[in-house]
Amino acid sequence: MALDHLDGIDRALVALLQEDAGQAYAALGRAVGLSPGATHDRVRKLRERGVVRRTTVEVDPGALGLGVLAFVMVESSAWMGDSAPAFAAIPEIEEAHVIAGSASVLVKVRTTTTEHLQDVLRRLYAIEGVSGTQATVSLETFFERPPSPTL
Amino acid sequence: MALDHLDGIDRALVALLQEDAGQAYAALGRAVGLSPGATHDRVRKLRERGVVRRTTVEVDPGALGLGVLAFVMVESSAWMGDSAPAFAAIPEIEEAHVIAGSASVLVKVRTTTTEHLQDVLRRLYAIEGVSGTQATVSLETFFERPPSPTL
DNA sequence: TCAGATGCCGAATGTCATTCGGTGCGGGAC
DNA sequence: GTCCCGCACCGAATGACATTCGGCATCTGA
């Protein structure tokens, strides 16, 4: 990727697009003081540089029937660095991170029920090298939001 | 919200929109076997029902300079159920969940540096009722993806 | 001072979102 | 069994908007 300096306008555009990626370039331009054409240029370059990866929709997990959210600390007896595909193969897993600390991998799991969560834990144990799990269920989600471009 | 039964077409549309919310309704319709007009109707209703909350852009945190990801277990000596605004006021926090278990709140934090992370921990301690924190730094993120509509 | 590059503007073109009237189908009432 | 109503879809028409492009101003380095 090329030089990645983002000026104030770029950051403002990213913030506006995070709010609503569907609005017209004319409206975006008005908000940052640019013409529609110039705004289009800026956004196109943000995409080319990989700052903006894709435009997507934010879905209510509850509406999909996914009412249970849990974080699972996965302990292992072996190097887990190449196990990404094994975790990705479990669709209930939304995120998987290699972490420093007593556990090896931290995963975020969304399921329909706690029984369903148990089934995911069973599939986690089936992954090569996994020696234990410690699940923590979320009782209430305060908020989930995208990274702030203004830091 | 109204009855929220999603048929196969709805779920397919959600999946396609998660992939790329910018594609034409004609293309979406072709993929699910619907006319552009009917596809537009479906998506509009998904939005009205709150299944689709908004269209947004996915940003590379690294491009924003946010190279450090950590999960922090926040221990408390009091009821934290009303503390959502206090956590939301810290922009480095991407997610905050009330959890079952020894800690009270689990937060996901993204910062530029580990020094910056330490500053966030300092601000967490300043929240009423917070008695301790336990931070876990992510060494590598395997993946982060939206909830799967096909479960 | 000059040359090149960059960022922006404003207009032109084509594509696509959005709307709307009409049609067929399924379910419920009688 | 028949009628009526509501729902989902289609197809066309309209208007809005993305996208492109030539030209201009500004800045940088030589």
Side-chain angles (χ1 to χ4, degrees), chain A residues 23-42:
Chain A
Q23 62 191 301
Y25 284 118
L28 286 174
R30 226 173 299 126
V32 301
L34 243 48
S35 76
T39 307
H40 185 268
D41 257 31
R42 289 267 194 166

Side-chain angles (χ1 to χ4, degrees), chain A residues 38-52:
Chain A
T39 307
H40 185 268
D41 257 31
R42 289 267 194 166
V43 175
R44 182 178 50 75
K45 282 174 190 165
L46 286 172
R47 291 181 191 278
E48 280 173 1
R49 282 190 281 172
V51 178
V52 170

Side-chain angles (χ1 to χ4, degrees), chain A residues 30-147:
Chain A
R30 226 173 299 126
V32 301
L34 243 48
S35 76
T39 307
H40 185 268
D41 257 31
R42 289 267 194 166
V43 175
R44 182 178 50 75
K45 282 174 190 165
L46 286 172
R47 291 181 191 278
E48 280 173 1
R49 282 190 281 172
V51 178
V52 170
R53 288 192 174 133
R54 61 174 173 177
T55 99
T56 181
V57 291
E58 200 178 285
V59 174
D60 175 13
L64 297 177
L66 300 172
V68 175
L69 170 64
F71 292 88
V72 183
M73 301 287 203
V74 179
E75 294 149 23
S76 72
S77 55
W79 166 241
M80 291 272 91
D82 299 323
S83 304
F87 288 96
I90 302 178
E92 288 89 346
I93 299 182
E94 262 186 47
E95 305 179 17
H97 310 270
V98 178
I99 56 175
S102 56
S104 304
V105 179
L106 173 58
V107 302
K108 182 182 179 184
V109 178
R110 232 182 260 275
T111 59
T112 56
T113 63
T114 49
E115 287 80 10
H116 187 177
L117 172 59
Q118 194 177 15
D119 185 60
V120 171
L121 294 180
R122 187 182 56 72
R123 275 177 272 161
L124 278 173
Y125 273 107
I127 294 177
E128 183 76 29
V130 169
S131 60
T133 65
Q134 187 181 336
T136 301
V137 175
S138 167
L139 303 175
E140 179 194 348
T141 291
F142 278 160
F143 58 84
E144 293 181 87
R145 62 190 180 192

